[in-house]
Structures are given as structure tokens and as C-alpha cells.
Amino acid sequence: MQWAAARLRPTSQWHAASVALLSPRLHAAAPVRWASSKRGGSSSRYMQRQKTDVYVKRRSKSTIDEDDEMGMGTGGAGYVARSAFKLIQLDDRYKFLRPGRVIVDLGAAPGGWSQAIVERVRRSKVAKTPVFALDLLPVADIDGVASIQGDFLDAKVQAQLRKLVADASAATATDERGFVDVVVSDMMANTTGNPITDTEASLELCRAAASFAFDTLRHDHTPKPEDARKSRPPSALAASSSVLVMKYFMSHEADVFRREVLQPHFHFVKAEKMDASRKESREQFWICIGFKGRRPAQSQEQAEL
Ligand SMILES: C[S@@+](CC[C@H](N)C(=O)[O-])C[C@H]1O[C@@H](n2cnc3c(N)ncnc32)[C@H](O)[C@@H]1O
């Protein structure tokens, strides 16, 4: 099967169904294009920030810059989104984007993370499967990326994604031992400015991403958590273990989610704030390494997954 520039173009019937199934909140709030929604009502502040943002400048470079102080050349192409640098910085720390791994990118549009993933995993010929990307909005055509446009909160869309990945990695969509190495989620609903609403919307996406990860990530029985942590750094574990990365908004509820849902399921869980994240933002990323398999629900939070 030829995966170069593979892109699932949904049939108009399927597309209509997926649009109709958008949750009312997202449907009402979803902009035509996510990038332009950032301009909102404070466009001059936005423009000023864009002018001075080192990552915006670096994103749009068309050639590798020898003076790039962070050593992150853009591979000659530039990234479609500055957010690519957040994933790059996280991977510099943990090194989980390795050739040959099966990787799912949730909330992928316009495609910055997918570009960064392809750049890192396809340096060698080992890469056989594409990167699987999903978003409400169209993802840019990127060589080596298969994308689905749909609402991740829709069970049918998730099932379609699971089947696509399973078929490509020669597993079954119900394989209980898992067939995905890495799930990354940069999903974020449109912010309303109301911290309670925004926190809940972000957590809803995290719950969905975690549940998908629990159903698809390879089980990782190898690291013995205490021994492994003493003798090897987490970055060494991430290179060979299953990994879940999720963006979230800092909040008390997020702390509960981490404690009750993420920690019991992974050998290692850490919250990271990336330099490339804007300082004023409440966003952080969880990196969860070494999936232990689904645990029986012992709390309300776990039962909701
Ligand atoms: C911060 S942007 C992602 C940027 C992307 N990682 C990149 O580097 O180009 C957040 C994305 O989450 C997507 N999103 C929000 N809710 C979603 C949902 N329910 N299903 C799928 N995608 C969703 C948005 O459409 C938006 O494109």
C-alpha cells in the first residue's frame, strides 16, 4: 500500500454525517479555520505578539538557519504552525518520536505537529506506516500523513480512526494488547474566557484522548517502575515504551484527573510547560510513559472513561 501523501478524503455522505454529529457546543463555537480564530477581537495585540514571537519567526523560515540558537532547523520547509516547536521541545527531552513507531496525532490541524513527527520518524527507511492525524478541520497535505477530518468526541469517528490504524499496522481494531506506540493530543476547543467552561472542555478532550489511548496503546510490562526510574532516565524509557502526550489547562480538576486516571495507568507521568508555550497561557502537557493496560475503575473519574 502506498502511504506517501496518503490522505483520507471522506465521502461527502460520511462528511455530512460527521458534521451533523458535532456536539452542539463545538458545532456552535467551531471557527471555519482554527488559526484565524486566534485573531479574535484583539487583532492589534495579536499582530504585535506575532511580530515579536521567536517561534512564529522560526516557523516561517524557508531554509535551515545556521544561527538557530535551539538547533531546530525547519528541514527546509517551515512548519504550518508554531505549535510544532512545543512537540519538538518535548521530544528533545524524551525522544519518543522514533523511526518505525505507530503514531496518532489528535487535534492535528493545520499540521505542525504532524510535520514535526514525520520529520523525526521518517529520517530512516524503517518508517512503514504513516502518521495518523485527526482534526475537526482539514489537516494540510503532508507526505507520510494519513488524515481524517471529524469530531474526535464522536464514537463513530474514533472507531474509523482505530480501524485505519489497526489495518495499517496489521493488527485488529480490538487487539487488547494494543497496536499504537504513541498518541499525542494537542486538541483544544475554542476558549470562551470562562475558566470553568474552558477547563471542562479541555478535560473532556483529555478524557476522550486517554480513553482512546487506553484502548489502542501497546501494553508495556517491561519497565519495573521503581528500578527503571532509579537506573534509567525517563527519556530512555520513552524511546522504547508506549507514550501518551496530552495538552491540558492547569486546574484543580486536571490535578485530580492526573492522580486518578493517568498515574494508575502509566509507569511515569509528568507535567511539562514548554518554552514554546506562551508565558501567559495556562496550557501544559502531560507526558505519560509505559502503559500498564486498563485498570478497573476505582473512582468517578476513571468510571467516566
Ligand atoms: C492547538 S490546535 C492544534 C495545532 C496542531 N497541533 C498543529 O501543530 O498544527 C487545536 C486543534 O484541536 C482541534 N479540535 C478541537 N476539538 C476537537 C475535536 N472534538 N475533534 C477533533 N479535533 C478537535 C481544533 O480543530 C484545532 O485544530
Short mmCIF file of all heavy atoms in Angstrom, two decimals, residues 209-243:
data_model
loop_
_atom_site.label_atom_id
_atom_site.label_comp_id
_atom_site.label_asym_id
_atom_site.label_seq_id
_atom_site.Cartn_x
_atom_site.Cartn_y
_atom_site.Cartn_z
N ALA A 209 -9.17 11.44 24.70
CA ALA A 209 -7.85 11.03 24.20
C ALA A 209 -7.28 9.91 25.06
O ALA A 209 -6.71 8.94 24.55
CB ALA A 209 -6.90 12.22 24.17
N ALA A 210 -7.45 10.03 26.38
CA ALA A 210 -6.93 8.99 27.28
C ALA A 210 -7.65 7.68 27.04
O ALA A 210 -7.03 6.60 26.97
CB ALA A 210 -7.08 9.43 28.73
N SER A 211 -8.96 7.74 26.88
CA SER A 211 -9.73 6.52 26.67
C SER A 211 -9.30 5.84 25.37
O SER A 211 -9.13 4.62 25.31
CB SER A 211 -11.22 6.88 26.63
OG SER A 211 -11.98 5.74 26.43
N PHE A 212 -9.11 6.64 24.33
CA PHE A 212 -8.63 6.09 23.04
C PHE A 212 -7.24 5.46 23.24
O PHE A 212 -6.97 4.36 22.75
CB PHE A 212 -8.54 7.22 22.00
CG PHE A 212 -8.03 6.78 20.66
CD1 PHE A 212 -8.89 6.19 19.73
CD2 PHE A 212 -6.70 6.94 20.33
CE1 PHE A 212 -8.41 5.78 18.49
CE2 PHE A 212 -6.21 6.53 19.09
CZ PHE A 212 -7.07 5.95 18.17
N ALA A 213 -6.39 6.16 23.97
CA ALA A 213 -5.04 5.63 24.21
C ALA A 213 -5.12 4.32 24.99
O ALA A 213 -4.39 3.35 24.69
CB ALA A 213 -4.21 6.67 24.97
N PHE A 214 -5.99 4.24 25.98
CA PHE A 214 -6.09 3.02 26.79
C PHE A 214 -6.55 1.83 25.93
O PHE A 214 -6.23 0.69 26.22
CB PHE A 214 -7.07 3.21 27.95
CG PHE A 214 -6.60 4.20 28.99
CD1 PHE A 214 -7.45 4.59 30.02
CD2 PHE A 214 -5.34 4.77 28.94
CE1 PHE A 214 -7.03 5.52 30.98
CE2 PHE A 214 -4.91 5.70 29.87
CZ PHE A 214 -5.77 6.08 30.90
N ASP A 215 -7.34 2.13 24.89
CA ASP A 215 -7.83 1.06 24.02
C ASP A 215 -6.83 0.67 22.94
O ASP A 215 -6.99 -0.37 22.32
CB ASP A 215 -9.14 1.50 23.32
CG ASP A 215 -10.30 1.53 24.30
OD1 ASP A 215 -10.21 0.90 25.36
OD2 ASP A 215 -11.30 2.20 23.99
N THR A 216 -5.86 1.52 22.67
CA THR A 216 -5.01 1.25 21.50
C THR A 216 -3.51 1.16 21.79
O THR A 216 -2.77 0.58 21.00
CB THR A 216 -5.21 2.36 20.43
OG1 THR A 216 -4.86 3.62 21.01
CG2 THR A 216 -6.64 2.40 19.92
N LEU A 217 -3.04 1.77 22.89
CA LEU A 217 -1.59 1.76 23.15
C LEU A 217 -1.09 0.36 23.47
O LEU A 217 -1.78 -0.41 24.15
CB LEU A 217 -1.25 2.68 24.33
CG LEU A 217 -1.08 4.17 24.08
CD1 LEU A 217 -0.70 4.87 25.39
CD2 LEU A 217 -0.03 4.47 22.99
N ARG A 218 0.10 0.07 23.01
CA ARG A 218 0.73 -1.21 23.36
C ARG A 218 0.93 -1.28 24.87
O ARG A 218 1.36 -0.29 25.48
CB ARG A 218 2.10 -1.31 22.70
CG ARG A 218 2.04 -1.65 21.25
CD ARG A 218 3.45 -1.90 20.71
NE ARG A 218 3.57 -1.40 19.36
CZ ARG A 218 3.04 -1.99 18.29
NH1 ARG A 218 2.35 -3.10 18.43
NH2 ARG A 218 3.18 -1.46 17.08
N HIS A 219 0.66 -2.45 25.41
CA HIS A 219 0.90 -2.61 26.85
C HIS A 219 2.40 -2.73 27.09
O HIS A 219 3.12 -3.32 26.31
CB HIS A 219 0.21 -3.88 27.36
CG HIS A 219 -1.27 -3.76 27.32
ND1 HIS A 219 -2.11 -4.54 28.05
CD2 HIS A 219 -2.08 -2.91 26.61
CE1 HIS A 219 -3.36 -4.19 27.81
NE2 HIS A 219 -3.36 -3.21 26.93
N ASP A 220 2.80 -2.13 28.17
CA ASP A 220 4.23 -2.02 28.42
C ASP A 220 4.56 -2.62 29.78
O ASP A 220 4.46 -1.95 30.79
CB ASP A 220 4.58 -0.53 28.42
CG ASP A 220 5.97 -0.32 27.95
OD1 ASP A 220 6.78 -1.23 28.16
OD2 ASP A 220 6.23 0.74 27.39
N HIS A 221 4.89 -3.90 29.74
CA HIS A 221 5.15 -4.56 31.02
C HIS A 221 6.62 -4.50 31.38
O HIS A 221 7.01 -4.88 32.47
CB HIS A 221 4.68 -6.02 30.96
CG HIS A 221 3.23 -6.12 30.65
ND1 HIS A 221 2.27 -5.60 31.48
CD2 HIS A 221 2.58 -6.65 29.60
CE1 HIS A 221 1.07 -5.82 30.95
NE2 HIS A 221 1.24 -6.43 29.81
N THR A 222 7.42 -4.04 30.44
CA THR A 222 8.87 -4.14 30.67
C THR A 222 9.42 -3.28 31.80
O THR A 222 10.13 -3.81 32.65
CB THR A 222 9.66 -3.87 29.36
OG1 THR A 222 8.96 -2.87 28.63
CG2 THR A 222 9.80 -5.12 28.55
N PRO A 223 9.13 -1.96 31.83
CA PRO A 223 9.81 -1.21 32.89
C PRO A 223 9.26 -1.57 34.26
O PRO A 223 8.06 -1.65 34.44
CB PRO A 223 9.51 0.25 32.56
CG PRO A 223 8.54 0.26 31.46
CD PRO A 223 8.22 -1.13 31.07
N LYS A 224 10.14 -1.84 35.17
CA LYS A 224 9.70 -2.03 36.54
C LYS A 224 9.85 -0.65 37.14
O LYS A 224 10.97 -0.17 37.32
CB LYS A 224 10.57 -3.05 37.26
CG LYS A 224 10.51 -4.43 36.62
CD LYS A 224 11.48 -5.38 37.26
CE LYS A 224 11.59 -6.67 36.50
NZ LYS A 224 12.33 -6.52 35.23
N PRO A 225 8.74 0.02 37.42
CA PRO A 225 8.75 1.46 37.66
C PRO A 225 9.85 1.94 38.61
O PRO A 225 10.63 2.81 38.24
CB PRO A 225 7.37 1.75 38.24
CG PRO A 225 6.63 0.47 38.25
CD PRO A 225 7.45 -0.60 37.62
N GLU A 226 9.95 1.33 39.77
CA GLU A 226 10.91 1.88 40.74
C GLU A 226 12.34 1.66 40.26
O GLU A 226 13.13 2.59 40.19
CB GLU A 226 10.71 1.23 42.12
CG GLU A 226 9.30 1.43 42.68
CD GLU A 226 8.79 2.86 42.53
OE1 GLU A 226 9.61 3.79 42.65
OE2 GLU A 226 7.59 3.05 42.28
N ASP A 227 12.65 0.40 39.84
CA ASP A 227 14.01 0.10 39.39
C ASP A 227 14.37 0.96 38.19
O ASP A 227 15.43 1.55 38.11
CB ASP A 227 14.13 -1.36 38.94
CG ASP A 227 13.87 -2.27 40.10
OD1 ASP A 227 13.81 -1.74 41.23
OD2 ASP A 227 13.72 -3.48 39.88
N ALA A 228 13.40 1.00 37.24
CA ALA A 228 13.70 1.69 35.99
C ALA A 228 13.97 3.16 36.25
O ALA A 228 14.85 3.75 35.64
CB ALA A 228 12.52 1.54 35.03
N ARG A 229 13.21 3.75 37.15
CA ARG A 229 13.38 5.18 37.39
C ARG A 229 14.73 5.46 38.06
O ARG A 229 15.34 6.47 37.83
CB ARG A 229 12.23 5.72 38.24
CG ARG A 229 11.46 6.77 37.49
CD ARG A 229 10.30 7.26 38.28
NE ARG A 229 9.18 6.35 38.18
CZ ARG A 229 8.10 6.43 38.95
NH1 ARG A 229 8.02 7.35 39.87
NH2 ARG A 229 7.11 5.60 38.81
N LYS A 230 15.16 4.52 38.89
CA LYS A 230 16.45 4.73 39.57
C LYS A 230 17.61 4.61 38.60
O LYS A 230 18.54 5.39 38.62
CB LYS A 230 16.62 3.67 40.67
CG LYS A 230 16.01 4.11 42.00
CD LYS A 230 16.23 3.05 43.05
CE LYS A 230 15.06 3.05 44.01
NZ LYS A 230 14.81 1.76 44.61
N SER A 231 17.53 3.60 37.72
CA SER A 231 18.70 3.32 36.90
C SER A 231 18.69 4.02 35.55
O SER A 231 19.74 4.24 34.98
CB SER A 231 18.82 1.82 36.68
OG SER A 231 17.61 1.36 36.13
N ARG A 232 17.53 4.35 35.02
CA ARG A 232 17.48 4.96 33.68
C ARG A 232 16.61 6.20 33.71
O ARG A 232 15.57 6.22 34.36
CB ARG A 232 16.89 3.97 32.68
CG ARG A 232 17.70 2.71 32.55
CD ARG A 232 16.90 1.63 31.84
NE ARG A 232 16.68 1.92 30.45
CZ ARG A 232 15.66 1.45 29.73
NH1 ARG A 232 14.77 0.69 30.30
NH2 ARG A 232 15.54 1.75 28.46
N PRO A 233 16.99 7.23 32.95
CA PRO A 233 16.15 8.43 32.91
C PRO A 233 14.87 8.14 32.13
O PRO A 233 14.85 7.25 31.29
CB PRO A 233 17.03 9.43 32.17
CG PRO A 233 17.96 8.61 31.38
CD PRO A 233 18.19 7.34 32.13
N PRO A 234 13.79 8.90 32.39
CA PRO A 234 12.53 8.67 31.68
C PRO A 234 12.69 8.75 30.18
O PRO A 234 11.98 8.08 29.44
CB PRO A 234 11.62 9.80 32.18
CG PRO A 234 12.29 10.38 33.35
CD PRO A 234 13.71 9.96 33.37
N SER A 235 13.64 9.58 29.72
CA SER A 235 13.81 9.70 28.28
C SER A 235 14.21 8.37 27.68
O SER A 235 13.79 8.02 26.57
CB SER A 235 14.85 10.77 27.95
OG SER A 235 16.05 10.46 28.57
N ALA A 236 14.98 7.58 28.42
CA ALA A 236 15.39 6.29 27.90
C ALA A 236 14.19 5.35 27.84
O ALA A 236 14.08 4.52 26.94
CB ALA A 236 16.48 5.69 28.78
N LEU A 237 13.27 5.48 28.79
CA LEU A 237 12.07 4.65 28.77
C LEU A 237 11.16 5.04 27.61
O LEU A 237 10.54 4.20 26.97
CB LEU A 237 11.29 4.79 30.08
CG LEU A 237 11.99 4.35 31.36
CD1 LEU A 237 11.09 4.61 32.55
CD2 LEU A 237 12.34 2.87 31.27
N ALA A 238 11.05 6.34 27.35
CA ALA A 238 10.12 6.82 26.33
C ALA A 238 10.49 6.33 24.93
O ALA A 238 9.62 6.13 24.10
CB ALA A 238 10.06 8.35 26.34
N ALA A 239 11.76 6.14 24.68
CA ALA A 239 12.19 5.74 23.35
C ALA A 239 11.69 4.34 22.99
O ALA A 239 11.51 4.03 21.82
CB ALA A 239 13.71 5.78 23.28
N SER A 240 11.46 3.52 24.01
CA SER A 240 11.06 2.14 23.70
C SER A 240 9.71 1.76 24.33
O SER A 240 9.29 0.62 24.24
CB SER A 240 12.15 1.18 24.19
OG SER A 240 12.38 1.41 25.57
N SER A 241 9.06 2.70 25.01
CA SER A 241 7.79 2.39 25.68
C SER A 241 6.64 3.11 24.98
O SER A 241 6.86 4.06 24.23
CB SER A 241 7.82 2.88 27.14
OG SER A 241 8.90 2.32 27.82
N SER A 242 5.44 2.68 25.29
CA SER A 242 4.27 3.40 24.78
C SER A 242 4.17 4.76 25.48
O SER A 242 4.53 4.89 26.65
CB SER A 242 3.00 2.58 25.01
OG SER A 242 2.98 2.07 26.32
N VAL A 243 3.69 5.75 24.72
CA VAL A 243 3.68 7.14 25.23
C VAL A 243 2.36 7.82 24.89
O VAL A 243 1.84 7.68 23.79
CB VAL A 243 4.86 7.95 24.61
CG1 VAL A 243 4.73 9.44 24.92
CG2 VAL A 243 6.20 7.42 25.11
#
